[in-house]
Amino acid sequence: MTVETYERPSRRAMLGGAAAGAALVLAGCSQDQGKPNGVVRIGYQKDGALVVAKTQKRLEARLGPLGVNKIEWAEFPSGPPLLEALNAGGIDFGATGDTPPIFAQAAGSDLVYVAAVPTTGHSSAILLPKGSPVASVAALKGKKIAFTRGSSAHYFAVRALQSAGLTLDDVSPAYLAPSDARAAFVRGSIDAWFIWDPYYAEAVRDADAIVLADAEPFVRSASFFLAGRTFTAAQGPVVRGILDELREVSGWIASNREAASELLSHVSGLELPILRVAIGRAEFGVVPVSPDIAARQQQVADDFARLGIIPKPIHVADAIANTGWR
């Protein structure tokens, strides 16, 4: 699941604000995530259930009776910096794709998975510049490909290349944040871009991107809601309240995609046609982290460990919280 960096000036300004907000979160963070001070700090990206909940102030209404009198929101461009803030104690709760928590856990972050959103892979794609001669994943051999290191696109790239008998050693990876990757894509300085929505939808519409393939044949995993371990242990009713509300919000989005697209366009600055496409093919539905979801997430971790991309093997089950939420 799973942003805010675009090349148009107004969007760059938005990114600057998001980056500044993230920096302030990190600068002013406290390590005591379990302190019941009436404040819950939530990290979010550009779209999805958290943005709807924020805009409609649904969590304030849900959590007020539990003693939460304020929710502080921090916007992030992708999952890796969001989880850096979570580990540093700058936020208590947030959402990312499958790969960022693998990197975070391998680095020793004390985060826990509290819920999942099963995904099919239709919201991510391998994009090629207009006129590209590349006609298959195998043809990416020797090419320069871009993705955000530690993001869901990183694992997408690994699995897609693996399907063609290739590894990252067979290509020239460019580890770029989404805004930088888009700029490189437009300049023609990369041959392929592994990316998720809404960047995916925006690049197809505004940058004449060609879709080589979406992620569905290569990756079938989940995005996740995560929280600090200490916060989760100390604030179980609050965590369950957040998840209850997000499940209701997700159900509303799934049944009202046009209205959700209009709302997200209004609050995010993304154009409505882009969000119609992105929301139209996204999956919604917040569920507990089942044994099947955990096993698929463990496969992600095992693949990264086998390839030496993370420094050591990890056990995903060690980071799955028993919140009692069903």
Side-chain angles (χ1 to χ4, degrees), residues 21-33 39-43 72-74 76 82-93:
L24 287 171
V25 164
L26 288 168
C29 68
S30 165
Q31 293 297 326
D32 187 6
Q33 291 178 303
V39 177
V40 173
R41 301 157 302 171
I42 298 177
E72 296 178 351
W73 297 88
F76 294 85
L82 186 153
L83 292 188
E84 289 176 12
L86 183 64
N87 182 54
I91 58 173
D92 304 306
F93 184 96

Side-chain angles (χ1 to χ4, degrees), residues 279-303:
I279 298 298
R281 62 187 168 210
E283 298 85 24
F284 298 97
V286 184
V287 300
V289 183
S290 67
D292 179 61
I293 291 172
R296 281 185 274 147
Q297 186 70 348
Q298 184 63 53
Q299 184 62 57
V300 178
D302 291 346
D303 285 346

Side-chain angles (χ1 to χ4, degrees), residues 102 299-314:
I102 299 296
Q299 184 62 57
V300 178
D302 291 346
D303 285 346
F304 277 125
R306 175 178 52 81
L307 294 169
I309 297 172
I310 58 174
K312 62 182 180 181
I314 61 170

Side-chain angles (χ1 to χ4, degrees), residues 206-232:
D206 292 348
D208 294 322
I210 299 168
V211 179
L212 178 63
D214 70 21
E216 196 275 335
F218 311 109
V219 180
R220 192 176 182 88
S221 184
S223 57
F224 295 95
F225 293 104
L226 300 110
R229 187 182 297 273
T230 302
F231 174 80
T232 302

Side-chain angles (χ1 to χ4, degrees), residues 125-129 132-147 153-174 185 189-195 210-214 218:
I126 309 169
L127 302 183
L128 307 173
S132 171
V134 172
S136 67
V137 173
L140 292 175
K141 185 174 183 178
K143 303 294 186 182
K144 188 172 185 179
I145 68 170
F147 54 85
H154 193 157
Y155 189 58
F156 176 18
V158 167
R159 290 302 300 267
L161 292 171
Q162 187 179 63
S163 75
L166 303 175
T167 71
L168 291 174
D169 291 334
D170 295 306
V171 297
S172 178
F185 186 84
S189 57
I190 57 175
D191 299 299
W193 183 18
F194 290 73
I195 191 59
I210 299 168
V211 179
L212 178 63
D214 70 21
F218 311 109

Side-chain angles (χ1 to χ4, degrees), residues 65-268:
L66 300 176
V68 175
N69 54 45
K70 183 179 181 182
I71 296 178
E72 296 178 351
W73 297 88
E75 186 176 337
F76 294 85
S78 61
L82 186 153
L83 292 188
E84 289 176 12
L86 183 64
N87 182 54
I91 58 173
D92 304 306
F93 184 96
T96 78
D98 56 0
T99 301
I102 299 296
F103 277 69
Q105 188 180 354
S109 295
D110 203 19
L111 55 79
V112 288
Y113 300 83
V114 295
V117 179
T119 60
T120 62
H122 293 307
S123 293
S124 297
I126 309 169
L127 302 183
L128 307 173
K130 184 178 181 179
S132 171
V134 172
S136 67
V137 173
L140 292 175
K141 185 174 183 178
K143 303 294 186 182
K144 188 172 185 179
I145 68 170
F147 54 85
T148 303
R149 180 174 174 81
S151 72
S152 60
H154 193 157
Y155 189 58
F156 176 18
V158 167
R159 290 302 300 267
L161 292 171
Q162 187 179 63
S163 75
L166 303 175
T167 71
L168 291 174
D169 291 334
D170 295 306
V171 297
S172 178
Y175 301 115
L176 299 174
S179 58
D180 296 326
R182 188 188 187 282
F185 186 84
V186 170
R187 289 195 307 268
S189 57
I190 57 175
D191 299 299
W193 183 18
F194 290 73
I195 191 59
W196 58 86
D197 274 327
Y199 300 107
Y200 164 21
E202 192 269 354
V204 169
R205 199 195 75 158
D206 292 348
D208 294 322
I210 299 168
V211 179
L212 178 63
D214 70 21
E216 196 275 335
F218 311 109
V219 180
R220 192 176 182 88
S221 184
S223 57
F224 295 95
F225 293 104
L226 300 110
R229 187 182 297 273
T230 302
F231 174 80
T232 302
Q235 303 290 335
V238 171
V239 171
R240 291 190 291 273
I242 293 171
L243 296 177
D244 283 341
E245 192 61 45
L246 291 177
R247 181 156 54 191
E248 291 186 13
V249 170
S250 295
W252 179 82
I253 296 172
S255 299
N256 299 274
R257 292 177 188 254
E258 176 64 19
S261 299
E262 292 174 359
L263 184 152
L264 289 169
S265 177
H266 177 72
V267 300
S268 70

